[in-house]
Amino acid sequence: MLKKIKEFIIERLIFLSGIASIVFVLLIFIFLLKEGISIFKTVGLFDFLSGRFWYPISDPPKLGILPLIMGSLLVTLGAVVIAVPLGIASAFYIAEVASPRVRDALKSCVEVLSAIPSVVLGFIGMVTLVPFVKALFKIPTGLTAFSGSIMLAFMALPTIISISEDAINAVPRQYKEGAIALGATHWQTLYRVIIHGAMPGVIAASMLGIGRVIGETMAVMMITGNAAVIPTTFLQPVRTLTATIAAEMGETVRGSEHYYALFAIGIVLFVISFLINVTADLFLHKDKR
Amino acid sequence: MKNAKINVSKFNFYYGDSRVLKDITIDIPENRVTGIIGPSGCGKSTFLRSLNRMNDVILGSRAEGSVMLDGRDIYGRDVDVAGLRRKVGMVFQKSNPFPKSVFENVAYGLRIDGIKDKYFIEERVERSLRDAALWSEVKDRLRDNAFELSGGQQQRLCIARALAIEPEILLMDEPASALDPTATLKIEELIQELKKKYTIIIVTHNMQQAARVSDLTAFFMLGELVEYDITSIIFTKPSKKLTEDYITGRFG
Ligand SMILES: Nc1ncnc2c1ncn2[C@@H]1O[C@H](COP(=O)(O)OP(=O)(O)OP(=O)(O)O)[C@@H](O)[C@H]1O
Ligand SMILES: [Mg+2]
């Protein structure tokens, strides 16, 4: 009898914790909506998303976030181009090629990399990468989208590597052995069996890495230069959605248009991250089936 | 032995520090079925996998001694291991078709060999499936996923897959252990058919099966080859007490 009550309580507790996380997410979203939506009364949704100027404290304020969206996209795109191929290649190397000792060493490195707080990475980037980029391309400032992409790539790498590696290791051994027994070389096995089998997981890993990059704030704020203009090249300062919220939230007057606009940016970010995670999830579950 | 296809001599195999095959010396004749029996963990699979160097992929493993195939040591210096495995095909205990169509499973070995000729591949796939006694059952299902076949069909598909690259030797590690009696019987009949063209080495846990399908039988125990002889002799008047105890079911 007592056991039954105990089980009942435990069950309820677990259920409640599950519900709680859903409720919290919902509450956050509702709060974002409530605070952000009122901006669309003054600035239309379309104008907000496609406005080319972000002058939040001029009079009247111009609240177009296209430069910020472009900034985020550009930095993210750069980071993806760097991190995805590098991350996937590293994962294959670690899982399939490296000797056990090298593998352990590399895995520890990846863990350490993922443990570095983004402020620290941003700081290191600021004192090393930024001057380097400036000197390399002979440009007036090293605070560019390009520098941001490199730094973000470092942040996405651990996610991409470790999840891809799991996916590679999850390819059934029988497939590998089957191919080897038919005279496939190591590379043919890798190419035909393992990449094929691990693909959904690897794509999901990349999506999660991208999600990480889009939401990242500190490091990009420190090294992308924060100029809210529509970028035309990788070698110019940009400002991202996240950096805008972080930099301006402290200075804005609560209840002002600017304040609501920052929340609306939050909604945009939320929607983007949500879509990316759903896509990643689709691939991960495709894997399971 | 005359007509020996494979001569193994003083062969030892180690996983790390543990020696799981001890001084194995055995000659395996061409176009015969050689059965390998012995209690679980005695090294049957290890021995089989030594013959096509499947154990190479296991880290920390090591082979000593020689395995001569047609007079050439497969553990020699400049052996093309992938080429060896094409010559020495293998069927696993648990059937392991690829997650592809029936046709592509059989064509797989040809494709990794770089063969592109569509008609050649089609013809070879059909012949391999016929040889594996599977053609009539799957000829209308070549595009279906291999996982939709029954367990016994999947195992014969794996046999067809191995046959498609025209090996000379076929290694089978308990190919019927996961199958029902009817499917098992089919595989056994198939083996009788296949030995006309191939040298077959089969590991089995099932004493009756060894007696039925193999021409010669080798009895392994604790990593050693205890006795090796014509099957009827092994099962009627073995020369070693250990063998007799095992086949009469006193242990194992
Ligand atoms: N990959 C491995 N690493 C370390 N030891 C192994 C490995 N594979 C097998 N062994 C050991 O080697 C010995 C022989 O194993 P093997 O699989 O060859 O036996 P077996 O005769 O095929 O057994 P079974 O009838 O159960 O299939 C066993 O003691 C086993 O634990
Ligand atoms: Mg075995």
Side-chain angles (χ1 to χ4, degrees):
Chain A
M1 192 58 209
L2 202 68
K3 208 169 150 198
K4 265 207 170 146
I5 295 175
K6 215 165 132 194
E7 267 183 25
F8 178 80
I9 294 176
I10 293 176
E11 235 172 60
R12 287 293 121 151
L13 279 178
I14 294 174
F15 175 74
L16 278 180
S17 349
I19 289 288
S21 54
I22 298 176
V23 169
F24 289 144
V25 171
L26 270 180
L27 282 180
I28 291 172
F29 189 60
I30 290 170
F31 182 71
L32 264 183
L33 266 185
K34 180 172 107 18
E35 297 286 304
I37 211 112
S38 42
I39 192 66
F40 301 124
K41 286 182 211 140
T42 40
V43 190
L45 176 62
F46 182 77
D47 288 338
F48 182 69
L49 291 177
S50 68
R52 301 168 52 87
F53 301 101
W54 175 256
Y55 299 141
I57 42 182
S58 67
D59 195 19
K62 287 195 172 159
L63 299 171
I65 62 166
L66 190 62
L68 312 179
I69 293 178
M70 296 293 285
S72 275
L73 281 185
L74 194 66
V75 174
T76 305
L77 186 77
V80 167
V81 168
I82 299 167
V84 168
L86 202 62
I88 295 176
S90 310
F92 274 101
Y93 181 76
I94 291 176
E96 286 294 324
V97 186
S99 67
R101 205 183 293 161
V102 175
R103 171 180 317 165
D104 288 344
L106 284 176
K107 284 179 85 159
S108 319
C109 289
V110 171
E111 260 160 45
V112 170
L113 188 58
S114 72
I116 301 176
S118 75
V119 190
V120 176
L121 263 185
F123 180 66
I124 295 172
M126 218 157 98
V127 296
T128 57
L129 183 65
V130 169
F132 177 73
V133 168
K134 179 179 170 183
L136 183 67
F137 296 103
K138 301 191 173 58
I139 42 179
T141 171
L143 298 166
T144 59
F146 181 65
S147 320
S149 295
I150 293 179
M151 249 23 241
L152 285 181
F154 272 108
M155 275 175 233
L157 271 176
T159 310
I160 298 178
I161 293 175
S162 54
I163 298 179
S164 298
E165 199 210 331
D166 288 346
I168 294 165
N169 288 331
V171 175
R173 212 183 73 163
Q174 299 102 277
Y175 294 168
K176 245 195 270 186
E177 292 208 320
I180 291 174
L182 289 172
T185 61
H186 191 166
W187 288 110
Q188 283 174 325
T189 314
L190 198 66
Y191 175 74
R192 292 182 164 259
V193 180
I194 300 175
I195 294 188
H196 183 258
M199 197 43 96
V202 167
I203 293 176
S206 306
M207 299 300 288
L208 291 173
I210 297 171
R212 168 97 211 261
V213 165
I214 288 193
E216 175 49 43
T217 311
M218 253 357 256
V220 281
M221 197 155 85
M222 291 164 82
I223 51 182
T224 54
N226 295 319
V229 286
I230 293 179
T232 49
T233 75
F234 265 109
L235 295 174
Q236 77 185 68
V238 296
R239 173 189 287 209
T240 64
L241 294 163
T242 50
T244 306
I245 300 179
E248 297 176 8
M249 197 49 114
E251 304 161 0
T252 180
V253 183
R254 193 182 172 130
S256 66
E257 271 185 33
H258 185 195
Y259 174 86
Y260 293 130
L262 291 181
F263 272 96
I265 293 178
I267 297 176
V268 173
L269 267 174
F270 188 96
V271 170
I272 294 175
S273 304
F274 181 74
L275 289 180
I276 289 176
N277 279 326
V278 167
T279 321
D281 229 41
L282 284 182
F283 279 103
L284 273 182
H285 287 289
K286 194 170 147 210
D287 202 17
K288 298 264 153 54
R289 254 190 291 129
Chain B
M1 184 188 294
K2 265 210 269 175
N3 297 332
K5 182 80 179 163
I6 301 174
N7 312 80
V8 180
S9 73
K10 292 255 181 283
F11 189 77
N12 288 278
F13 195 88
Y14 302 81
Y15 289 115
D17 291 331
S18 76
R19 183 172 171 220
V20 294
L21 291 178
K22 298 168 190 165
D23 283 329
I24 306 291
T25 297
I26 187 172
D27 291 339
I28 292 164
E30 189 162 19
N31 290 76
R32 291 281 181 281
V33 179
T34 302
I36 296 175
I37 58 172
S40 186
C42 69
K44 304 182 296 293
S45 300
T46 305
F47 176 70
L48 207 64
R49 292 164 57 95
S50 298
L51 301 178
N52 66 345
R53 292 186 59 173
M54 276 304 278
N55 285 326
D56 281 18
V57 296
I58 296 171
L59 288 163
S61 68
R62 186 160 56 87
E64 250 171 29
S66 71
V67 177
M68 309 293 259
L69 170 59
D70 292 331
R72 296 188 51 183
D73 190 353
I74 64 168
Y75 284 90
R77 259 170 186 281
D78 36 45
V79 171
D80 163 21
V81 181
L84 168 72
R85 294 186 187 130
R86 303 185 148 263
K87 214 162 151 184
V88 186
M90 181 161 216
V91 177
F92 298 81
Q93 172 168 6
K94 217 172 140 264
S95 64
N96 60 345
F98 300 118
K100 292 170 178 286
S101 69
V102 171
F103 185 92
E104 282 306 320
N105 261 280
V106 184
Y108 199 84
L110 304 171
R111 295 209 194 278
I112 55 178
D113 205 14
I115 294 169
K116 298 253 155 56
D117 184 345
K118 199 167 153 253
Y119 297 103
F120 179 85
I121 292 178
E122 275 174 9
E123 190 249 37
R124 183 69 73 77
V125 168
E126 174 173 346
R127 201 178 71 210
S128 308
L129 285 168
R130 282 188 195 282
D131 284 352
L134 189 60
W135 176 252
S136 59
E137 290 160 65
V138 300
K139 64 176 190 289
D140 303 318
R141 306 175 59 185
L142 294 177
R143 300 284 152 212
D144 288 4
N145 193 301
F147 292 144
E148 288 164 26
L149 302 181
S150 74
Q153 289 172 330
Q154 287 188 21
Q155 191 59 298
R156 276 177 286 146
L157 180 67
C158 292
I159 294 175
R161 184 175 75 181
L163 298 181
I165 49 175
E166 303 197 309
E168 294 169 17
I169 299 167
L170 207 53
L171 308 174
M172 303 175 121
D173 195 348
E174 307 190 38
S177 69
L179 304 179
D180 65 41
T182 327
T184 301
L185 193 67
K186 276 216 170 108
I187 302 265
E188 287 180 10
E189 285 168 3
L190 176 58
I191 290 170
Q192 292 311 318
E193 219 25 65
L194 291 174
K195 80 171 184 193
K196 292 172 190 158
K197 285 204 237 165
Y198 306 91
T199 301
I200 295 175
I201 306 170
I202 178 171
V203 168
T204 172
H205 248 124
N206 179 327
M207 227 61 66
Q208 287 81 29
Q209 185 170 61
R212 279 194 303 262
V213 301
S214 56
D215 301 307
L216 293 107
T217 299
F219 170 53
F220 278 62
M221 206 170 127
L222 297 172
E224 290 182 67
L225 175 60
V226 176
E227 190 167 355
Y228 176 47
D229 216 322
I230 294 171
T231 299
S232 58
I233 296 182
I234 290 275
F235 282 93
T236 53
K237 36 184 189 309
S239 57
K240 299 263 169 58
K241 178 85 171 38
L242 224 48
T243 316
E244 188 180 333
D245 287 350
Y246 183 69
I247 56 166
T248 52
R250 235 164 280 167
F251 65 88

